[in-house]
Amino acid sequence: MTEFLQMGGYAQYVWPCFGLTFAVLIVNIVTARRRLTAQLDALRLQQARQAQRSAQA
Amino acid sequence: MKLPAWLHKFASPPHVYGFAGALYPWLLGLSLVLMAVGFYGGLVLAPADYQQGDGFRIIYVHVPSAYLSTAVYALMATASAIGLIWRMKVAHAVAAAAAPIGAWFTLLALMTGAIWGKPMWGTYWQWDPRLTSELILLFIYLGYISLRGAFDELGKADRASAWLAVVGVVNLPIIHYSVIWWSSIHQGPTIKKLGSPSITMEMVWPLLLLIFAYSLFFAAILLQRLRAEILDRERYSRWVGGVVQATASPT
């Protein structure tokens, strides 16, 4: 296991590359989801305002 | 020019919205499983390289992201051209959804490449044709994204940024052939379209699997972002009202 983690002396180069990759994958999943929920929230607000306006009229 | 009939379904925003939502979890799940297999193959099963030792294993995160950086751009430019020619909203939405993902993977390719360069070339960065043209690709993505942000009206943002995407295509062949045209410190292609790969099967299958897995991952994120882009463009249509009510929070 230690041998595997040492990566033949290249550990300081190999593991940061994999770490950055996982970070980019997670950021992509999270931001895409956040963008969709934010859009749905904005539309919900817009709909609620319209309903309010038509109720007042 | 008339649009082929089968394409009409893909031009219909509510249809694409539903289909993207149904496909997203499957594509994401499959891509993550295949990535796990590919990383295991690359980190554990593949033998160390005779010149680069275990340092070569960076190839398994570098090449797939570099592949995506250009493939995503090609898709973005194609979608932009379709959007300009046929005035198709969904095509513009695809291009807008692809850009941030492409930018992330371009940045990742540059960063993993720089870290790989340190032990192999003795430097993180060189103003080398391949490295420089890849950096320009990142700037084109960022330019595309900020150009979109400069317009209040979505239709104008779509058309202006589509032109930028189409013109930026000239950079793709430069990136691809840079290692052949000029003497570059970057190594030549590992997997050639014609002819056999320059590495052994045990090393190449995880790489091919990972390229496929990254492509599925991109497709999943693209669909998720595409849904947001479609909602943005269709905010006043009746079907979006239905979608919003169906997903309404219980509060």
Side-chain angles (χ1 to χ4, degrees), chain A residues 4 7-8 10 13-14 17-18 20-22 25 27-29 31-33 35-36 39-40 43-44 46-47, chain B residues 35 39 43 52 54-55 58 61 104 115 119-120 214 217 224-225 228-229 232 235-236 240-241 244 247-248:
Chain A
F4 172 71
M7 275 289 143
Y10 287 103
Y13 305 108
V14 173
C17 285
F18 277 81
L20 285 170
T21 299
F22 291 130
L25 295 178
V27 164
N28 269 282
I29 294 171
T31 54
R33 170 165 307 197
R35 173 102 167 70
L36 183 58
Q39 192 70 53
L40 282 166
L43 289 172
R44 203 167 292 135
Q46 176 192 314
Q47 212 172 51
Chain B
M35 270 184 207
F39 288 146
L43 285 170
Q52 303 194 0
D54 287 314
I58 294 171
V61 284
W104 273 114
I115 296 171
M120 302 308 165
Y214 271 56
F217 181 85
Q224 182 85 315
R225 284 188 165 275
E229 292 293 338
D232 207 3
R235 54 175 66 233
Y236 297 113
V240 167
V244 171
T247 57

Side-chain angles (χ1 to χ4, degrees), chain B residues 77-92 159 162:
Chain B
T78 308
S80 296
I82 291 173
L84 285 174
I85 296 166
W86 288 295
R87 297 178 174 274
M88 198 202 278
K89 257 191 214 171
V90 171
H92 283 303
R159 282 187 299 276

Side-chain angles (χ1 to χ4, degrees), chain B residues 7-136:
Chain B
L7 255 173
H8 277 290
K9 240 182 173 179
F10 287 97
S12 144
H15 182 267
V16 175
Y17 183 86
F19 147 95
L23 219 56
Y24 170 74
W26 295 100
L27 280 177
L28 184 68
L30 183 61
S31 76
L32 295 177
V33 168
L34 293 181
M35 270 184 207
V37 175
F39 288 146
Y40 182 77
L43 285 170
V44 180
L45 302 179
D49 185 66
Y50 82 106
Q51 278 183 326
Q52 303 194 0
D54 287 314
F56 103 95
R57 297 186 199 279
I58 294 171
I59 201 174
Y60 298 111
V61 284
H62 176 70
V63 168
S65 54
Y67 165 78
L68 271 193
S69 73
T70 53
V72 169
Y73 194 90
L75 181 124
M76 187 177 106
T78 308
S80 296
I82 291 173
L84 285 174
I85 296 166
W86 288 295
R87 297 178 174 274
M88 198 202 278
K89 257 191 214 171
V90 171
H92 283 303
V94 167
I101 319 172
W104 273 114
F105 282 98
T106 308
L107 182 67
L108 186 61
L110 285 165
M111 289 194 301
T112 54
I115 296 171
W116 197 1
K118 186 64 184 165
M120 302 308 165
W121 302 335
T123 178
Y124 288 113
W125 186 261
Q126 271 285 320
W127 292 99
D128 166 275
R130 170 57 72 82
L131 277 59
T132 308
S133 53
E134 183 76 10
L135 184 65
I136 290 170

